[in-house]
Amino acid sequence: MTFAASEPGDHDPVPSDVLATGELTVLGRIVSASNATLVCEATLDDVTVRCVYKPIRGEQPLWDFPDGTLAGREVASYLVSEALGWSVIPRTILRDGPYGPGMVQRWVPTPESVGDRGERLDLVDICPPDRVPDGWFRILQAYDGEGEEVTLIHADDPRLQRVAVLDVLLNNADRKGGHALEGTDGSVYGVDHGICLHAENKLRTVLWGWAGQRIGGDLLVDIESFEVALRGDLADRLAEYVTSGEVEALRMRTRDLLTNPVMPQPTTNRPIPWPAF
């Protein structure tokens, strides 16, 4: 039997139909998640892929996201990432599973999950104020449960910055530190996009380090191509998962970012999700 769990992303050689039609076997549940989140294996023709399965029946209703499903928003967010050509979000589909229809997403192996993280910091982390590495962004000063002062930080890393720009386009209301993963393949991925793409400004993120900075030209080239794609079939595909008003809001955010290519500053009284991880 061939295992493909160590090769995340759509650039890997594993046939995509394994995730779409392979038999799902539940291995366990991520108990810290607010909605039902199951770790599974999808198996087809002796090829097995590790994945995350979030059945729609396990979603908690949200008063401010009354339309569609969280699973559908995850798929729509993946389509946006792919249309940009960034592959920030692991392959994500909507399919049937052991507990009914739900979101299925390829698992991202990380150095920590395979035991070679050592003492290095994650791309988003917490440390004492006097141990912040040179060049890292300080996002928030706080106290831990024992009353010790700590600092929420993140790396000034172009791979992570691309995640931050994607969040602006997606209007991500829940970019926690644990939702930005450095894969064992060297890429940085974003996961957990169930509360994205609202028409109203709901951007909440730990990735505020680039606030007020101009967006690089290479990213803008991709955003320009994405804006063109939104005039075509992509808008219809997104409308299968979110409202037409939310698709239009995405189009406006894209145009605004092209007109003024600067990362936004926090504008709400709750710019960081809680908990932050």
Side-chain angles (χ1 to χ4, degrees):
M1 180 177 291
T2 300
F3 285 85
S6 62
E7 302 193 36
D10 288 328
H11 52 272
D12 69 53
V14 178
S16 60
D17 57 356
V18 176
L19 202 66
T21 62
E23 181 179 357
L24 289 182
T25 301
V26 177
L27 302 180
R29 179 177 180 179
I30 300 177
V31 296
S32 59
S34 55
N35 297 284
T37 303
L38 306 175
V39 180
C40 297
E41 286 181 347
T43 303
L44 181 67
D45 296 334
D46 292 328
V47 176
T48 296
V49 177
R50 182 68 59 85
C51 57
V52 174
Y53 163 51
K54 298 181 182 180
I56 292 173
R57 64 189 292 187
E59 295 180 0
Q60 299 291 328
L62 297 175
W63 67 268
D64 55 343
F65 281 82
D67 300 305
T69 63
L70 305 188
R73 292 180 184 278
E74 295 233 35
V75 176
S77 298
Y78 166 75
L79 293 176
V80 171
S81 171
E82 289 302 292
L84 284 159
W86 293 352
S87 296
V88 166
I89 301 175
R91 176 168 165 77
T92 307
I93 62 173
L94 195 64
R95 59 159 289 182
D96 202 13
Y99 299 102
M103 186 278 303
V104 173
Q105 182 176 84
R106 185 181 295 278
W107 180 268
V108 177
T110 63
E112 184 176 14
S113 69
V114 296
D116 61 356
R117 180 176 182 269
E119 295 300 320
R120 71 181 180 88
L121 292 169
D122 287 327
L123 290 173
V124 184
D125 218 321
I126 292 175
C127 69
D130 59 353
R131 294 180 60 185
V132 177
D134 292 340
W136 285 51
F137 293 116
R138 299 172 183 258
I139 304 302
L140 179 69
Q141 297 289 123
Y143 292 92
D144 64 15
E146 299 178 355
E148 297 294 328
E149 191 174 9
V150 294
T151 305
L152 173 64
I153 61 176
H154 72 72
D156 185 4
D157 187 308
R159 299 170 302 167
L160 190 62
Q161 185 180 21
R162 188 164 58 178
V163 177
V165 176
L166 176 63
D167 284 342
V168 174
L169 292 171
L170 292 177
N171 193 20
N172 192 346
D174 194 35
R175 175 62 72 201
K176 293 181 169 67
H179 297 169
L181 307 175
E182 185 174 16
T184 54
D185 63 351
S187 298
V188 172
Y189 297 92
V191 298
D192 211 343
H193 298 88
I195 50 175
C196 288
L197 294 166
H198 202 288
E200 301 174 7
N201 177 29
K202 291 183 178 291
L203 183 62
R204 289 192 292 269
T205 177
V206 296
L207 303 179
W208 286 112
W210 296 281
Q213 294 188 18
R214 292 189 64 83
I215 298 171
D218 54 339
L219 295 175
L220 286 180
V221 170
D222 295 335
I223 296 172
E224 288 173 352
S225 298
F226 175 70
E227 194 275 333
V228 174
L230 274 176
R231 304 178 206 167
D233 295 341
L234 177 60
D236 294 333
R237 294 180 66 194
L238 293 172
E240 297 176 19
Y241 304 105
V242 296
T243 68
S244 58
E246 288 168 330
V247 175
E248 180 59 28
L250 170 63
R251 184 179 289 111
M252 293 303 299
R253 287 193 299 273
T254 304
R255 291 174 179 170
D256 289 346
L257 210 55
L258 290 173
T259 301
N260 182 30
V262 175
M263 291 294 285
Q265 299 277 1
T267 58
T268 66
N269 59 6
R270 188 188 166 196
I272 295 176
W274 190 258
F277 283 86

